[in-house]
Amino acid sequence: MRRFLFLKGVKVYSFNRIDSTNNEAKIRIEKGIKLPALFIAKSQTAGKGTRGRNFYSDGGGLYMSLALKTDETKVQRLTVLAAVAVAQSIEALTGKNVGIKWVNDIYLGGKKLCGILCERVNDAVVIGIGVNLFVKEFPDEIKDIAVNLGGSISPEKLAKEITNRILGLICSGQEFIEYYRSKSVLLGKEVSYVLNGNLYTGMAVDIDDSGALIVKDSEQNTAILSSGDVTLIK
Ligand code: BTN
């Protein structure tokens, strides 16, 4: 592991290969390291996604976890904030137009480019971000739904931009939900979702200030979704 100062006031822990940068961050938070801290790896052997899923991270991407203390108690709002920081970073550095799929995915050309996993540890949070940059070959199960950013952007440069933007949004208290809404690939579209074990369909009509997705069904009943999988119906 290399350890060096990479961003002003943010300690960076850098790895060639690790199980999961989120796990490493959580272990070190428990040990009382100075925060904020950034964990970055060239590849992960057990990259974690939401709801216990894997995140393919065998190299060719940016795999980072930013550990920090914040007054923001809602993990969902932090996920939304991080998605805004990632989307703005990619657009600023590459000029590419990305979309955000509620709540934690960044899309490029209709395919998943990035996933975000926020986890709380005591009074700190870990914001884990995985971006496919130049993955040589995606596994069969995701090869039709995942995409690389392409180009020649370095993971370090993107990590630095994202970190600065996350810290900037948190410290400034700047409003960010409006940008998130403007980038949503779901708003105004028919979606399906599972609630209490039942499958529903409806129109995604809004994202409220807590980051919840508001869906109306054909009888105008409103569902406020604070977590879970939502699928876009073509
Ligand atoms: C998802 O798509 O469900 C979320 C994926 C989050 C992946 C990132 S990669 C860096 C960090 N370490 C992990 O183990 N997971 C996150």
Side-chain angles (χ1 to χ4, degrees), residues 167-232:
L167 295 177
L169 283 173
I170 288 176
C171 294
S172 66
Q174 196 191 319
E175 198 281 332
F176 52 87
I177 298 273
E178 203 45 57
Y179 177 88
Y180 186 93
R181 285 188 191 108
S182 75
K183 287 284 166 191
S184 171
V185 297
L186 296 185
L187 288 184
K189 305 266 171 59
E190 278 289 311
V191 296
S192 66
Y193 55 97
V194 176
L195 205 57
N196 304 324
N198 297 315
L199 181 70
Y200 297 92
T201 59
M203 173 81 79
V205 291
D206 200 5
I207 291 157
D208 73 13
D209 288 348
S210 74
L213 182 71
I214 317 292
V215 182
K216 271 200 175 142
D217 69 17
S218 53
E219 276 134 39
Q220 298 300 303
N221 298 313
T222 301
I224 301 171
L225 307 180
S226 53
S227 64
D229 276 337
V230 172
T231 307
L232 188 59

Side-chain angles (χ1 to χ4, degrees), residues 19-23 44 46-51 53-55 57 62-65 104-105 112 114-117 127-131:
D19 57 348
S20 151
T21 53
N22 266 34
N23 281 353
Q44 300 182 119
K48 294 192 299 178
T50 49
R51 282 174 284 286
R53 295 181 187 132
N54 297 327
F55 184 80
S57 32
L62 164 63
Y63 315 112
M64 63 172 272
S65 299
N104 63 318
D105 291 338
K112 179 164 166 169
C114 160
I116 298 167
L117 174 64
I127 303 174
I129 297 167
V131 187

